């Protein structure tokens, strides 16, 4: 019996919702065959089988919440299942033979008595069944004899073949000679493909654990020298040190992540315990009317835990400002049709993403993370774009947005948003963000206090742009004004720096030619 547990898929995920089974009891599965689709951490992921076998148990139903480490699927080894089926068939055959035998014995003794009791009457039952059973028995005996003879012939042939190769007679000597010749030929071929090296050099390489066959010799005619071996050993040692350092960093990051996730979940539990010290009784109605209940699970639960974790681990402050994007929208409207030729929908968000990257170059602390005793400043800009879906917010990431053109950013935003709404995002597409943009203005509203996508240090919220009267040099103009909000971690950034960052962002948004010049 092979027990398949719901695996730890990382990112602090401790449970998921079983969306769909791809197998049923009795199905044969191979390694990496998809067992089910599970909703975890804002995405629906496919769960591959780590083992091969035959499905004998499915311990969860579609819609159930399954936890990491729980046994959800049970497989049986395919060979054991086949063996069990074969044994069952054999038992049935034996039982059938026993029944035939008992029936024959019974009919052979009862037929004469029946005949004597009822003289002159035909007993069709006693006269026909014995002959038929005898015929059936004869056929089975004949079949068994044939199979036995075939098996004996096969064993005899195998024995003759074996004797032919193990005999010390003339024939056997010739076979052994051929084998010896083949062995020598093989050794000769191996020697011809080996690198050239002195035996002493080979001994040193072996003692140092260096694969001398992988070394390109620098000696005469490609001879591998002792210096080549030492250089290879040094190179391998460096690689090993880097691997160990990388593994150590990965383990450290994983440990920190687990601690943070644990802290977030514990905080949620504390809050629930504080507000609901006793398990909530699901009443159908109260004094004011009837009640309904919605399970708190899946994406909704993940979002909730992350919001709590952000508030428990940051000192959030929100800065509000406005930018005149009239000129930016003029450029966007002019270029919009050109982009449509390439099936790209040019939105203001693509310009704003590019402007954000340029502003971050001058204010790097808004693209950072506080980890332990260090502030990690990322020298690349992986911009998360919050997308509203029926199931909740999803945040796919535009990786290295600073290296992409406005057209590329616009196209990527379009594709990621579609994938998010269709729930086809891979979890990897929602990782490694360094700052986030949330565009609540597409629905409505001017200002908000967006929650930092922890452990990032800041998030930019965009309100709805509206036409407003603006006074310039004593004259009133109608201008398109974009309200925006920046929530930042006050442990990393001060309010003054936030104001400067907002000013820089406004400069790019109000003079989009600067964005286009920087892009070139």
């Amino acid at each position: 019996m092979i027990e398949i547990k719901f695996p730890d898929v990382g990112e602090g995920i401790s449970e998921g919702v079983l969306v769909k089974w791809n197998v049923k009891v009795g199905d044969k599965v191979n390694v990496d065959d998809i067992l089910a689709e599970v909703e975890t951490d804002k995405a629906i992921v496919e769960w591959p089988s780590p083992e091969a076998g035959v499905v004998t148990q499915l311990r969860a139903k579609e819609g159930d919440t399954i936890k990491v480490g729980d046994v959800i699927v049970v497989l049986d080894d395919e060979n054991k299942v086949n063996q069990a089926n074969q044994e069952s068939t054999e038992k049935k055959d034996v039982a059938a033979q026993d029944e035939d035998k008992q029936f024959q014995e019974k009919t052979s003794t009862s037929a004469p008595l029946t005949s004597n009791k009822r003289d002159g009457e035909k007993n069709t039952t006693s006269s026909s069944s014995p002959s038929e059973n005898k015929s059936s028995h004869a056929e089975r005996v004949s079949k068994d004899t044939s199979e036995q003879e075939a098996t004996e012939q096969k064993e005899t042939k195998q024995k003759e073949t074996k004797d032919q190769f193990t005999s010390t007679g003339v024939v056997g000597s010739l076979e052994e000679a051929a084998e010896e010749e083949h062995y020598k030929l093989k050794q000769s071929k191996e020697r011809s493909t080996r690198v050239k090296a002195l035996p002493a050099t080979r001994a040193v390489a072996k003692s140092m654990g260096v694969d001398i066959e992988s070394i390109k010799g620098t000696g005469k005619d490609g001879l591998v020298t002792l210096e080549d071996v030492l250089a290879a050993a040094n190179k391998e040692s460096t690689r090993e040190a880097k691997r160990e350092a990388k593994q150590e960093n990965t383990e450290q990051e994983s440990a920190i992540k687990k601690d943070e996730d644990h802290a977030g979940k514990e905080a949620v539990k504390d809050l629930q315990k504080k507000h609901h010290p006793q398990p909530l009784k699901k009443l159908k109605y109260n004094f004011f009317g009837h009640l309904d209940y919605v399970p708190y699970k899946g994406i909704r639960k993940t979002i909730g835990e992350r919001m709590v974790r952000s508030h428990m681990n940051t000192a959030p402050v929100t800065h509000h400002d406005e930018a005149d994007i009239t000129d930016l929208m003029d450029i966007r409207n002019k270029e919009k049709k050109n982009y449509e030729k390439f099936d790209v929908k040019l939105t203001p968000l693509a310009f704003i993403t590019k402007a954000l990257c340029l502003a971050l170059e001058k204010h790097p602390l808004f693209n950072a993370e506080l980890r332990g005793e260090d502030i990690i400043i990322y020298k690349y800009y992986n911009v998360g774009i919050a997308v509203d879906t029926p199931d909740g917010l999803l945040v796919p990431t535009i990786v290295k947005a600073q290296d992409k053109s406005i057209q590329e950013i616009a196209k990527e935003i379009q594709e990621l948003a579609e994938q998010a709404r269709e729930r086809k995002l891979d979890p990897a597409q929602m990782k490694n963000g360094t700052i986030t943009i949330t565009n609540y203005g597409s629905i409505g509203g001017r200002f908000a206090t967006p929650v930092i996508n922890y452990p990032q240090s800041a998030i930019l919220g965009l309100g709805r742009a509206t036409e407003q009267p603006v006074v310039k040099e004593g004259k009133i103009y109608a201008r398109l004004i974009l309200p925006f909000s920046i929530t930042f971690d006050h442990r990393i950034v001060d309010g003054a720096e936030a104001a400067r960052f907002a000013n820089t962002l406004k400069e790019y948004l109000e003079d989009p030619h600067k964005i286009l010049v920087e892009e070139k």
Side-chain angles (χ1 to χ4, degrees), residues 7-14 41:
D8 183 355
V9 293
E11 295 296 303
I13 295 172
S14 60
D41 195 16

Side-chain angles (χ1 to χ4, degrees), residues 317 319 363 366 488 490 493-504:
V317 178
H319 176 94
H363 306 275
F366 290 85
F488 57 95
H490 209 334
V493 187
D494 291 333
E497 179 63 8
R500 285 190 280 268
F501 174 57
N503 289 339
T504 304

Side-chain angles (χ1 to χ4, degrees), residues 134-291:
K134 284 178 181 178
S135 175
S136 174
H137 179 69
E139 289 177 356
R140 281 196 295 274
V141 169
S142 175
K143 184 179 178 182
D144 292 344
T145 304
S146 300
E147 290 177 350
Q148 185 176 357
E149 288 175 351
T151 303
E152 289 176 351
Q153 288 176 0
K154 187 176 179 182
E155 292 176 348
T156 303
K157 190 174 180 181
Q158 289 176 340
K159 187 173 183 303
E160 290 175 355
T161 303
K162 185 177 180 182
D163 291 345
Q164 185 180 4
F165 282 96
T166 56
S167 170
T168 55
V170 175
V171 176
S173 298
L174 288 174
E175 293 291 342
E176 288 175 358
E179 284 190 353
E180 184 179 354
E181 186 65 26
H182 175 72
Y183 178 72
K184 289 180 178 177
L185 185 62
K186 185 179 177 182
Q187 277 194 320
S188 175
K189 189 176 179 180
E190 288 178 352
R191 278 196 296 273
S192 64
T193 58
R194 295 170 64 187
V195 298
K196 294 179 181 178
L198 296 174
T201 306
R202 290 185 180 278
V204 172
K206 186 177 181 181
S207 66
M208 299 182 73
V210 175
D211 180 12
I212 196 170
E213 300 301 327
S214 65
I215 300 176
K216 187 176 181 180
T218 59
K220 186 178 180 182
D221 297 331
L223 181 72
V224 177
T225 65
L226 184 59
E227 287 75 15
D228 293 334
V229 173
L230 294 175
N234 185 45
K235 194 174 179 180
E236 179 61 29
S237 175
T238 304
R239 277 200 296 264
E240 183 64 27
K242 287 183 177 178
R243 277 198 295 270
E244 289 178 356
K246 185 177 180 181
Q247 183 177 359
E248 187 177 349
N249 287 337
T250 303
E251 290 175 352
Q252 186 180 6
E253 289 178 359
S254 177
I256 292 173
K257 194 83 175 173
K258 285 184 177 180
D259 287 345
E260 290 172 349
D261 291 338
H262 181 70
K265 290 175 182 176
E266 288 300 315
V268 171
K269 289 180 181 177
D270 289 343
L271 288 174
Q272 290 174 340
K273 193 174 179 181
K274 179 180 178 182
H275 295 291
H276 303 289
Q278 298 296 329
L280 186 65
K281 292 182 179 178
K282 291 188 176 181
L283 303 174
K284 291 184 179 180
Y285 56 87
N286 62 16
F287 182 77
F288 303 99
H290 285 80
L291 307 173

Side-chain angles (χ1 to χ4, degrees), residues 14 20 30 40 92 102 134 137 214 226 240 249 252 258 277 342 360 362 411 434 463 470 483 508-510:
S14 60
K20 178 185 175 185
N30 297 312
T40 62
K92 289 179 180 178
Q102 291 174 3
K134 284 178 181 178
H137 179 69
S214 65
L226 184 59
E240 183 64 27
N249 287 337
Q252 186 180 6
K258 285 184 177 180
F342 303 98
L360 288 173
K362 300 178 180 178
K411 185 177 181 181
T434 57
V470 175
Y508 283 111
L509 295 178
E510 294 183 347

